[in-house]
Amino acid sequence: MAQYLSETAKKVTTLCVRQMKAQGEKISMLTSYDYTTAGIVDAAGIDIILVGDSASNVMAGNSTTLPITLDEMALYGRSVVRAVSHAMVVCDMPFGSYQVSAEDAVRNAIRLMQQTGADAVKLEGGEAIIPAIRRIIAAGIPVMGHLGLTPQSINVFGSYGVRAREEAEAERLMADAKALEAAGCFALVLEKIPAALTQRVCSSLSIPVIGIGAGPADGQVLVIDDMLGKNKGFHPKFLRCYADLHGIMTDAIGRYVSDVRSGDFPNEGECY
Ligand code: KIV
């Protein structure tokens, strides 16, 4: 559990994560999409749980994050929130829920907060969505920003490759990061950018910067299914696997199938 948490302040808040950065304490963040997993992640001491729109890939098998809807995010979000007592829960605003207008964005952010009980929302993008972010924060909803590889823009990028390698894009990202901080974001995710650029952003901002494939930062985030090794064919350079759940699950299910087929399961002790 993070050291700054006293016995009377058990829930991680936006204030806590700002203090963690100020004190040089690293922030841990993982995604979750369901009640059971979120309970395990929370009890293991994570600081922030992200109900990512990566649920579109991980839970629904889509090839991008674009198809996931606000209703689907709300379902995943409230399932996670029910399981969590310590971590801050941040819910992604899905594609199409905040890009049309600031008014639309604040309406959808309010709906997501009310229907999930999450503590904050995350939006992808920089300058173009600053008016939406300002409106959402003015409504009392904390916002986490997200720059670099922003998967909702995959059709503009054309690939999931590293972003901001070129000077012009790196400078634009720096300007966006500062604009997000000035608009009131409490934290920022940087995805798949060069480590040197992440360092520049971290030292230019007072809000925490949480990286994924972006090198050392104020904190790190991974997609839970990836770091648990559930996704057999997915091994990007930035991913560290902490388990081989694909292997463990395949073996367990294979043994179950074999026990059912042989009549070994259920045995006498497993009957009423
Ligand atoms: O949706 C997600 O899981 C994310 C993380 C990759 C940061 O946005």
Side-chain angles (χ1 to χ4, degrees):
M1 180 183 290
Q3 281 163 16
Y4 62 87
L5 286 170
S6 72
E7 297 226 324
T8 50
K10 291 230 177 341
K11 178 87 179 173
V12 179
T13 64
T14 54
L15 182 64
C16 295
V17 295
R18 276 173 175 273
Q19 286 173 348
M20 287 175 81
K21 168 148 181 162
Q23 290 162 13
E25 208 180 325
K26 299 280 188 185
I27 299 162
S28 60
M29 174 162 142
L30 275 176
T31 67
S32 294
Y33 319 102
D34 70 274
Y35 177 84
T36 310
T37 308
I40 296 169
V41 173
D42 189 47
I46 206 84
D47 297 309
I48 304 176
I49 294 181
L50 173 66
V51 185
D53 61 355
S54 50
S56 177
N57 311 93
V58 175
M59 302 299 285
N62 294 310
S63 60
T64 73
T65 56
L66 275 66
I68 200 161
T69 65
L70 202 62
D71 285 339
E72 288 167 330
M73 287 305 298
L75 171 64
Y76 294 128
R78 64 179 168 268
S79 309
V80 166
V81 166
R82 279 190 203 113
V84 172
S85 55
H86 159 72
M88 172 193 290
V89 179
V90 179
C91 195
D92 262 343
M93 292 195 66
F95 176 66
S97 68
Y98 58 93
Q99 293 91 344
V100 176
S101 69
E103 194 177 328
D104 203 34
V106 73
R107 189 181 302 112
N108 287 328
I110 288 170
R111 192 172 138 205
L112 208 52
M113 293 292 282
Q114 285 184 322
Q115 294 185 350
T116 63
D119 303 303
V121 295
K122 177 165 79 61
L123 281 70
E124 295 181 7
E127 212 186 316
I129 59 160
I130 294 291
I133 288 175
R134 286 194 192 281
R135 284 290 301 274
I136 294 170
I137 295 170
I141 302 171
V143 173
M144 178 180 274
H146 185 159
L147 295 173
L149 177 64
T150 45
Q152 291 177 15
S153 301
I154 187 59
N155 293 315
V156 174
F157 296 152
S159 95
Y160 285 100
V162 176
R163 303 303 311 176
R165 281 196 197 275
E166 307 298 329
E167 187 61 19
E169 191 179 340
E171 289 314 313
R172 205 160 49 243
L173 188 144
M174 274 301 300
D176 280 341
K178 287 179 183 166
L180 290 173
E181 176 171 64
C185 285
F186 74 94
L188 172 65
V189 166
L190 291 182
E191 181 166 353
K192 237 174 163 186
I193 63 167
L197 179 57
T198 301
Q199 280 310 300
R200 273 182 67 202
V201 178
C202 286
S203 53
S204 303
L205 301 190
S206 61
I207 58 171
V209 174
I210 299 175
I212 173 164
D218 303 314
Q220 295 294 322
V221 57
L222 286 175
V223 169
I224 185 137
D225 292 61
D226 298 341
M227 61 84 76
L228 291 178
K230 261 190 178 177
N231 208 345
K232 203 173 172 212
F234 188 63
H235 293 296
K237 181 179 177 179
F238 70 81
L239 177 64
R240 187 179 293 181
C241 282
Y242 288 83
D244 172 24
L245 281 203
H246 189 278
I248 290 169
M249 290 174 75
T250 304
D251 174 64
I253 294 161
R255 287 188 290 112
Y256 168 74
V257 169
S258 145
D259 287 353
V260 169
R261 286 189 181 148
S262 70
D264 182 69
F265 177 78
N267 64 25
E268 227 176 281
E270 289 158 340
C271 297
Y272 295 104

